[in-house]
């Protein structure tokens, strides 16, 4: 158990809809990272937050947004969903934004778009 | 940009040793991580190298050569449960953002 909690584990919805994925980092970790993993692609970095502030942005679509709240949990919002958004979405956390500590991953949310 | 290359698949025999290579091209290199990922599960941290040389952790070792842009993960005394994907990830500059390679799917056969 990594200590990173993601909900829900599975999500099935239709094209055009909007969903929110939630992540609670490990106790003490200030940084949260979101990744997308499709069947035919590796882990793609989406966005990082550190202590409530956006720290780095990767290949995140404009239809996607995220935030980190004062209690350090984070939410990833996906809107105007398309079939190609079907993927595993992982959240990871680490101690700090610039530390040498590894990122620890949650079990992921499997999103299926019908 | 960055380019991280790993073999797509490898097969090895239970009890044997296997070496999984990773080559990268990046500016501002600031560390390389190896993760293990079983199908449909979360990646789990295996090792971290930032200086040249070998880091050993039980049955797993990882090596880094910064001048060659090269790393490998060495798995000894292979077990069936080692069948998984192994992901190489590079960190750049001072941030903690990781760029992952496509992963190497290792199949361990009896």
């Amino acid at each position: 158990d990594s200590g990173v909690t993601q909900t829900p584990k599975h999500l099935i919805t239709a094209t055009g809809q909007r969903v929110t994925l939630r992540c609670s980092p490990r106790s003490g970790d200030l940084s949260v990272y979101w990744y997308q993993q499709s069947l035919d692609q590796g882990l793609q970095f989406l966005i990082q937050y550190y202590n409530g502030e956006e720290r780095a942005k990767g290949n995140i679509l404009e239809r996607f947004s995220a935030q980190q709240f004062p209690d350090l949990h984070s939410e990833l919002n996906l809107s105007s969903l398309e079939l190609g958004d079907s993927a595993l979405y992982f959240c990871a956390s680490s101690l700090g934004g610039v530390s040498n500590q590894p990122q620890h991953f949650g079990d992921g949310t499997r999103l299926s778009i019908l | 940009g960055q380019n991280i290359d790993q073999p797509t698949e490898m097969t090895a025999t239970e009890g044997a040793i296997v070496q999984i290579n990773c080559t990268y091209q990046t500016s501002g290199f600031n560390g390389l991580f190896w993760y293990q990922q079983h199908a449909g599960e979360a990646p789990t941290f295996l090792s971290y190298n930032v200086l040249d040389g070998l880091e050993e952790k039980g049955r797993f070792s990882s090596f880094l050569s910064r001048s060659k842009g090269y790393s490998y993960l060495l798995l000894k005394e292979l077990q069936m449960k080692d069948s998984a994907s192994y992901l190489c990830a590079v960190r750049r500059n001072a941030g903690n953002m990781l760029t992952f390679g496509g992963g190497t799917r290792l199949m361990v056969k009896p």
Side-chain angles (χ1 to χ4, degrees):
Chain A
D1 181 11
S2 68
V4 179
T5 303
Q6 287 188 249
T7 56
K9 290 194 186 307
H10 302 277
L11 202 48
I12 302 173
T13 189
T15 56
Q17 295 299 305
R18 172 190 169 94
V19 296
T20 298
L21 313 184
R22 182 188 169 102
C23 169
S24 293
R26 292 190 319 161
S27 177
D29 283 358
L30 299 178
S31 264
V32 168
Y33 313 79
W34 287 98
Y35 292 88
Q36 179 192 57
Q37 188 174 42
S38 306
L39 275 177
D40 57 348
Q41 291 195 353
L43 274 169
Q44 301 289 318
F45 170 72
L46 295 178
I47 197 165
Q48 175 198 358
Y49 279 82
Y50 173 72
N51 204 22
E53 299 289 326
E54 182 183 305
R55 177 61 65 95
K57 233 174 182 176
N59 300 323
I60 187 166
L61 299 171
E62 285 191 12
R63 300 184 285 110
F64 296 1
S65 64
Q67 54 185 326
Q68 186 180 28
F69 294 87
D71 68 352
L72 300 178
H73 91 270
S74 178
E75 293 180 356
L76 178 67
N77 301 296
L78 316 176
S79 62
S80 303
L81 286 168
E82 302 175 359
L83 292 176
D85 297 328
S86 295
L88 258 175
Y89 291 85
F90 285 105
C91 168
S93 73
S94 70
L95 185 60
V98 293
S99 72
N100 292 335
Q101 296 298 313
Q103 295 177 24
H104 297 274
F105 285 76
D107 289 338
T109 294
R110 183 173 295 280
L111 176 64
S112 299
I113 312 299
L114 303 180
Chain B
Q2 297 185 78
N3 197 23
I4 301 172
D5 290 315
Q6 305 179 235
T8 307
E9 286 187 356
M10 296 183 71
T11 302
T13 304
E14 191 176 15
I17 299 173
V18 71
Q19 177 174 312
I20 302 174
N21 297 324
C22 171
T23 57
Y24 62 89
Q25 292 176 311
T26 186
S27 57
F29 175 83
N30 193 27
L32 188 144
F33 292 81
W34 283 96
Y35 281 82
Q36 180 192 61
Q37 186 180 25
H38 287 96
E41 298 184 8
T44 55
F45 169 71
L46 290 178
S47 69
Y48 168 68
N49 296 72
V50 67
L51 300 175
D52 289 354
L54 190 68
E55 293 284 338
E56 296 188 78
K57 261 188 182 182
R59 294 191 299 117
F60 293 3
S61 304
S62 57
F63 171 83
L64 176 68
S65 168
R66 289 173 299 171
S67 62
K68 294 181 180 176
Y70 167 69
S71 173
Y72 67 72
L73 180 70
L74 195 70
L75 291 76
K76 303 174 188 174
E77 300 168 17
L78 279 171
Q79 301 175 10
M80 298 300 291
K81 67 178 183 179
D82 296 330
S83 293
S85 287
Y86 291 86
L87 312 177
C88 168
V90 170
R91 185 174 64 195
R92 291 179 65 200
N93 302 318
N96 209 25
M97 191 185 98
L98 296 180
T99 300
F100 282 83
T104 299
R105 190 164 61 194
L106 174 67
M107 287 176 283
V108 180
K109 296 188 172 180

